Amino acid sequence: MNRPDLRISIGSTVFSNPVLTASGTFGYAREFEPYLNLHRLGGVVVKGISLSPRKGNPPPRIVETACGMLNAIGLENVGLERFISEKMPYLREIGTKVIVNILGDSLDDYRLLAARLSEVEGVHAIEVNISCPNVKKGGVAFGTDAAMAEAVTRAVCEESGVPVIVKLSPNVTDITLIARAVENGGAQAVSLINTLLGMAIDSRSRRPKLANIVGGLSGPAIKPVALRMVWQVARAVQIPVIGIGGISNATDAIEFFLAGASAVQIGTANFVNPGVCDEVVRGIEEYLVEHRLQGIQGLIGALIVDC
Amino acid sequence: MNQFQCQAEIVRMEHLTSDIVRMTLQAPDIAACAIPGQFIMVKAGEGCDPLLRRPFSIHQVIGNGRVQILFKVLGKGTRLLAGMRAGMALNLVGPLGRGFSLESREGFCLVGGGMGIAPLYFLARELQRLSRPPQLVVLLGARTAAELAQLAEDFRELGVRELHLATDDGSLGHHGYVAELIPRQLGRGGDDWQLCACGPHPMLQAVAKEAKSLSCPCQVSLETMMACGISACLGCAIPRAGLSGAYLHVCKDGPVFDAKEVAWL
């Protein structure tokens, strides 16, 4: 039997396999060079980039919780221009697809970021973070209001020459409403889930464990929530769904494909095992061979529901 | 980059007290390139609780490809590690971070508090191995004599003659904080000396203050919460001196910093 076909497409971009890194958990890729073969990854989603550099939140920024962690990094990043001049030269050389995660405070921020980045050589797609930032007026988060989510998606798609992925927040009543709005706005894919808003308290000091008081929960603890949301969204939209949330090994990834994901992103697991992405790619390949599937397409949405 | 992820066999477990453990691991790649002040990330247990690795300073590198860590049982992760036995294996990532500068000085004064003593042993040993070893003063503090006795003995065996101790309860050496011993040792003019300190934050703050008043250069090794150790998570931020709102990252910019780089809040 030939090696199974792991390729997937998002818009015009073809990925050699469906394993990507989640934004904010893989730095700018170079940090992981000692631990895996970067060219074997399907793609790298780099740390979220804003127009200007951001310093991030005061410490403590992270705390471990049961089977997970809370973070309130505060979107610390080097900013658009330093990213292009300092980080892109390396990223162009690693032989894998590069997806740039963008974040802004206004529609104009997103437009400018998309326009500038999509003309940079070596940027293969843009992932729009609408899960964290607030709008200038009113303070309604882009990611929790369907009309806003659609507007920001449309703004980015108008400016971008590369495929646009929109990353969805799980902190909403019905994630399928946001997913459909984003699809209407022109997104070529959705990725989900971003972190779940959470909190940790130190009973001895009676204080919050994070300086920011609340933070985003990630890691194995959130996998069941993520699987459920991926399954719901995959049935609600026509565009590819990228599954994210607590994936630590190939078996976890396969569960997301069965739920309807066309690709996966690995996040917190990179902190625990810096070589994990390589292992997941190999594990998926082995699973396909073992189950006599010719490619990953045969697995996407192949959940069997007996009833 | 000289960084490795490896399965390392535990060669030896020493329970120095009921809750202080010294663990020796077979990790040739890490041992070959580690410098004093660097750390390793250790995964305690196989499962996802605890999920994250724990950072430990390298306590000692032994010739035949071995590294040692020293820790006190404080939570779930360290309790699991303390329960390991020789022959078992642990997954390590390292060596990581920026270590101590061994740049030539007339003398080095090492100040360690509690488990912060760990990297200073490695440092003392490397200083003594320099072609022209500097004068060496070692000041160690802990809560009680029991916590300090074995570690002090190790420094003595290393041939450190200027060794001074302090305990919180007065059961060994000076009754009080270890930083209080600095003026007595460096009072004779400290500007061609180098202070190197590791320990709890308030102790380091006190050491930095003494260093400033003695105009003595001072390197401090800091500890923070840390998810990855390889500057991907950006969780280990600490405030930088001077420019308000800017941060340093302990895993990459440190863990050893010039005390002047750090905003001592």
Side-chain angles (χ1 to χ4, degrees), chain A residues 24-27 30-35 47 55-59 61-69 73 76 219-220 268 271-275, chain B residues 1 3-5 43 48-54 91 93-94 96 225-228 230-239 244-247 249:
Chain A
T25 66
F26 208 69
R30 190 170 212 153
E31 295 83 347
F32 287 79
E33 188 184 279
Y35 305 107
K47 175 88 187 145
K55 291 163 182 168
N57 287 332
R61 292 177 170 188
I62 56 168
V63 59
E64 183 164 343
T65 57
C67 299
M69 63 178 280
I73 305 301
E76 174 179 345
T268 301
F271 300 154
V272 181
N273 174 6
Chain B
M1 265 184 288
Q3 292 176 14
F4 306 92
Q5 181 177 15
K43 179 77 175 87
C48 64
D49 198 11
L51 176 67
L52 301 174
R53 290 172 183 268
R54 300 287 185 263
N91 196 272
V93 170
L96 302 170
M225 278 292 298
M226 192 178 278
C228 69
I230 58 175
S231 92
C233 74
L234 307 181
C236 59
I238 55 158
S244 85
Y247 297 104
H249 295 95

Side-chain angles (χ1 to χ4, degrees), chain B residues 208-224:
Chain B
K209 205 173 151 194
E210 293 292 352
K212 199 174 171 189
S213 69
L214 293 163
S215 321
C216 179
C218 179
Q219 304 177 52
V220 291
S221 176
L222 301 185
E223 188 175 30
T224 55

Side-chain angles (χ1 to χ4, degrees), chain A residues 56-89:
Chain A
N57 287 332
R61 292 177 170 188
I62 56 168
V63 59
E64 183 164 343
T65 57
C67 299
M69 63 178 280
L70 285 166
N71 88 78
I73 305 301
L75 305 170
E76 174 179 345
N77 77 92
V78 297
L80 176 65
E81 292 308 323
R82 273 185 62 198
F83 169 72
I84 294 170
S85 61
E86 294 174 20
K87 308 296 180 183
M88 273 311 295

